[in-house]
Amino acid sequence: MWRDDLRGIFYIALKDMRAYYLKPPNISWGILFPGALILAFAIRTPGDLRVLAPGLVTMTALFSATSMEAIVITFERRTGALERLMLAPITLPAMLAGKVLGGVLFGLAISAVVLVGVTAGFGLAAWRLAPAFLALLLSTAAFSALGALVSVAVREVFEAQTLANLLRFPMIFLCGVFVPLSRLPAVLQVLARALPLTYAVEAVEAALLGTPGWPMAFDLAVLAGFTALLFALAAVILRRRLD
Amino acid sequence: MPAIETENLTKTYGSLIAVDHISFEVRTGEVFALLGPNGAGKTTTIRMLTGLTRPTAGDARVLGFDLRRDLPRIKKHIGVVPERSNLYDELSAFDNLVFAMQLYGVPRRERGARADELLRRFRLEGKRDVPFARLSRGMRRALTLAAALVHRPRLLFLDEPTVGLDVVSAHGLRALIERLRGEGVTIFLTTHYLEEAERLADRVALLVQGHIVALDTVEGLKARVRRGSTVEVHLVGAAGEERLCFHGEDTEAALRLALAHAEAEGKQVVTINTLQPTLEEAFIELTGLSAEVMLAEKGSSNVA
């Protein structure tokens, strides 16, 4: 049975990549968005933009991993196509994992392009790419699971987009993408600690600008925990919706 | 071993009882039709038997496997054509079939040839690379059926297979269903078209408000309402011609009445037909509903 599940996860992710993710607008938007932000910051506050690199890379991962993920499941539930996957000889968690893997692969691919770009552009050491990639892997997993949760929690595609933005934009403000956590009021710092983007930014920051070590390992473990929690919640809600 | 056995299968949604303690058996190799109006619980029954929704109560075995414990094994051997043709709009006809094969573990080396074979069989070879979204409704239905057959299932569920199809497409689809039966595939179909059930099914279960009110062969159901016999006679005389029906305790009695009438009126009998009760009459009598109820919500029949 686990073989059927693994095969299902792989082919569902592959199909989603072909059917939804690898469309020119998705790819170009995913890369142009952080590029435009870097340019805007460079013009407004010229100087050392390297401090922005972790936030920009992580924000790219957040948007690319959740943008389609938050829509795909809702869309397929509306068209009835999700039932096709449910009828296949795989378990519900495997079907959901295939969906999440699609978001991870796309988020990882887009954010890796931005990661390589900022590493080269800001003159960062090439060895930092490896730990940063690891941090992005765990980050996109948590973000994609978040997208899946949003997707199963609503009934309409527009509701998915609204709910996803309702979560993403406050996270960008709270989680240290542009403003360091230490500058936020204590209450907001506590709130930030309950959000996965905070740990993603910290992990990528440690990989790109700091010293990858135990603090980064802790961030990665928290991201893995978020992934498991969000995924489990999405699976339970989806099961209830289908019943 | 029966293809399907259910015992008190029940599904409730809050206070609504969609399917109420239904028990039936589908024999291997037969075409079994679940006939009933909208909201009778037909789709819910299929959704439970295919694992899309969990029964609230009761048990079922599909192909000998327990529905609650062995669902992945059941899914390997069943094909399902839902009421809505639900393949992927973005993928071509060929890619949709290949994706279905990937999910069912059809070996890579067989996929291309099998997809082309199915496209030929369903007369879709000319639409091989056309996205699903750009196919006609009949073609989408045919491709959805093809996708349900990629793994050569032993049991095929068809939920309202011809709804929304034009007469020609519906006729073609029925011919395919008959061919599948000939190949030994057990078919469980739901329909609200009386003529479709009559034409295709070996046995029919009448489902009304979640209950099975009758289950028998088509002839068996008709026999339940057969009270006496009716003959239709075509009479010709000096005053003109007429067609009349005569009802008697049996065919002989009905004929005696017809001939007596002809003699009394001085007319000649041109033709005599014995009239069999229709499934529609059986349905009306056994369910207490009118046949129009079946058509009212989904448009007129497309049975040619």
Side-chain angles (χ1 to χ4, degrees):
Chain A
M1 197 175 82
W2 62 270
R3 276 189 181 179
D4 294 325
D5 279 353
L6 281 181
R7 188 180 57 240
I9 291 168
F10 173 74
Y11 283 118
I12 289 169
L14 201 66
K15 187 272 296 171
D16 278 1
M17 293 296 277
R18 287 185 60 198
Y20 308 118
Y21 289 101
L22 297 180
K23 302 286 182 192
N26 287 339
I27 298 168
S28 54
W29 186 87
I31 294 168
L32 283 176
F33 182 48
L37 277 176
I38 292 174
L39 196 64
F41 276 101
I43 293 167
R44 190 176 182 279
T45 37
D48 188 7
L49 291 171
R50 287 205 299 180
V51 289
L52 283 178
L56 285 170
V57 172
T58 319
M59 189 183 66
T60 306
L62 172 68
F63 274 87
S64 50
T66 55
S67 57
M68 290 302 288
E69 182 66 44
I71 295 170
V72 164
I73 298 175
T74 320
F75 175 71
E76 289 194 354
R77 261 173 57 211
R78 295 291 297 172
T79 62
L82 197 71
E83 284 194 355
R84 295 216 70 77
L85 307 180
M86 297 301 304
L87 290 166
I90 56 172
T91 58
L92 184 142
M95 186 275 286
L96 195 61
K99 292 284 173 199
V100 169
L101 181 62
V104 171
L105 292 175
F106 183 70
L108 208 52
I110 295 291
S111 54
V113 170
V114 177
L115 173 69
V116 170
V118 297
T119 305
F122 295 145
L124 301 170
W127 67 264
R128 291 184 179 275
L129 284 172
F133 193 78
L134 180 66
L136 284 178
L137 179 66
L138 270 294
S139 303
T140 49
F143 299 152
S144 188
L146 176 68
L149 179 60
V150 166
S151 208
V152 299
V154 298
R155 291 187 187 278
E156 303 288 344
V157 171
F158 74 87
E159 288 175 331
Q161 286 170 320
T162 307
L163 182 58
N165 285 334
L166 208 64
L167 292 170
R168 286 186 300 208
F169 285 102
M171 277 208 288
I172 288 170
F173 169 69
L174 288 169
C175 299
V177 173
F178 297 118
V179 183
L181 224 60
S182 55
R183 284 207 219 156
L184 295 177
V187 177
L188 294 185
Q189 285 190 36
V190 172
L191 187 58
R193 286 285 155 210
L195 299 168
L197 185 61
T198 302
Y199 302 93
V201 172
E202 281 183 355
V204 174
E205 191 172 19
L208 286 181
L209 305 175
T211 311
W214 283 114
M216 181 180 164
F218 173 76
D219 290 325
L220 297 183
V222 174
L223 286 169
F226 266 112
T227 306
L229 179 69
L230 295 167
F231 182 87
L233 278 173
V236 168
I237 292 173
L238 182 59
R239 181 71 264 175
R240 282 189 185 166
R241 288 239 185 256
L242 291 168
D243 279 342
Chain B
M1 180 189 70
I4 302 171
E5 294 171 271
T6 73
E7 200 181 327
N8 293 320
L9 202 62
T10 302
K11 182 69 185 180
T12 58
Y13 296 99
S15 59
L16 175 76
I17 304 170
V19 175
D20 195 0
H21 295 85
I22 59 170
S23 302
F24 62 91
E25 197 178 287
V26 176
R27 298 167 190 155
T28 300
E30 75 173 338
V31 176
F32 183 95
L34 203 53
L35 180 67
N38 260 4
K42 305 187 298 291
T43 297
T44 305
T45 303
I46 279 199
R47 288 178 64 83
M48 284 192 284
L49 292 174
T50 56
L52 282 175
T53 191
R54 289 181 289 197
T56 311
D59 293 309
R61 293 184 77 77
V62 178
L63 299 170
F65 298 113
D66 186 279
L67 184 64
R68 292 180 193 274
R69 286 199 303 268
D70 297 319
L71 191 56
R73 277 202 272 184
I74 291 172
K75 286 177 174 178
K76 277 190 175 184
H77 302 290
I78 63 170
V80 184
V81 180
E83 185 174 353
R84 186 161 46 154
S85 300
N86 62 350
L87 298 186
Y88 294 94
D89 282 348
E90 301 78 7
L91 301 184
S92 68
F94 181 83
D95 286 344
N96 262 304
L97 295 181
V98 169
F99 176 57
M101 281 185 249
Q102 289 168 337
L103 289 178
Y104 283 92
V106 175
R108 185 189 297 265
R109 62 185 175 281
E110 293 175 21
R111 289 176 199 155
R114 175 90 177 126
D116 283 328
E117 175 205 324
L118 283 165
L119 289 172
R120 271 196 304 279
R121 182 174 182 179
F122 286 83
R123 297 194 177 90
L124 291 168
E125 62 268 44
K127 304 291 176 184
R128 187 183 192 272
D129 300 315
V130 176
F132 184 67
R134 283 172 37 202
L135 297 176
S136 70
R137 187 180 276 188
M139 288 175 182
R140 287 155 70 114
R141 203 77 191 123
L143 191 67
T144 307
L145 178 55
L149 297 174
V150 292
H151 56 300
R152 297 183 171 87
R154 289 155 53 196
L155 170 61
L156 186 63
F157 290 90
L158 301 165
D159 194 3
E160 302 280 5
T162 58
V163 164
L165 293 188
D166 58 65
V167 171
V168 176
S169 301
H171 180 77
L173 204 59
R174 283 191 201 101
L176 279 167
I177 292 168
E178 282 172 348
R179 212 184 309 159
L180 287 168
R181 182 208 343 230
E183 292 169 12
V185 178
T186 306
I187 294 169
F188 181 102
L189 73 92
T190 70
T191 183
H192 66 280
Y193 294 143
L194 294 157
E195 303 92 329
E196 186 162 277
E198 189 164 9
R199 185 178 295 182
L200 290 174
D202 296 307
R203 291 193 306 142
V204 178
L206 304 183
L207 190 71
V208 179
Q209 292 180 335
H211 295 274
I212 289 181
V213 295
L215 195 168
D216 208 332
T217 60
V218 171
E219 289 309 310
L221 289 174
K222 287 177 181 176
R224 293 189 193 192
V225 295
R226 189 174 293 163
R227 295 195 193 106
S229 185
T230 304
V231 294
E232 182 194 53
V233 288
H234 181 193
L235 304 169
V236 178
E241 58 182 294
E242 60 182 347
R243 283 178 191 274
L244 293 171
C245 288
F246 293 88
H247 191 76
E249 279 182 4
D250 52 27
T251 307
E252 202 182 316
L255 263 177
R256 270 201 304 271
L257 286 171
L259 293 173
H261 176 83
E263 198 178 331
E265 297 285 320
K267 289 182 176 174
Q268 239 183 334
V269 177
V270 181
T271 58
I272 301 174
N273 293 314
T274 53
L275 297 181
Q276 298 295 324
T278 62
L279 186 60
E280 182 177 317
E281 286 167 329
F283 177 83
I284 291 166
E285 177 135 347
L286 294 168
T287 64
L289 299 171
S290 71
E292 284 74 23
V293 169
M294 308 286 278
L295 303 177
E297 292 164 13
K298 290 192 177 178
S300 59
S301 166
N302 57 10
V303 177

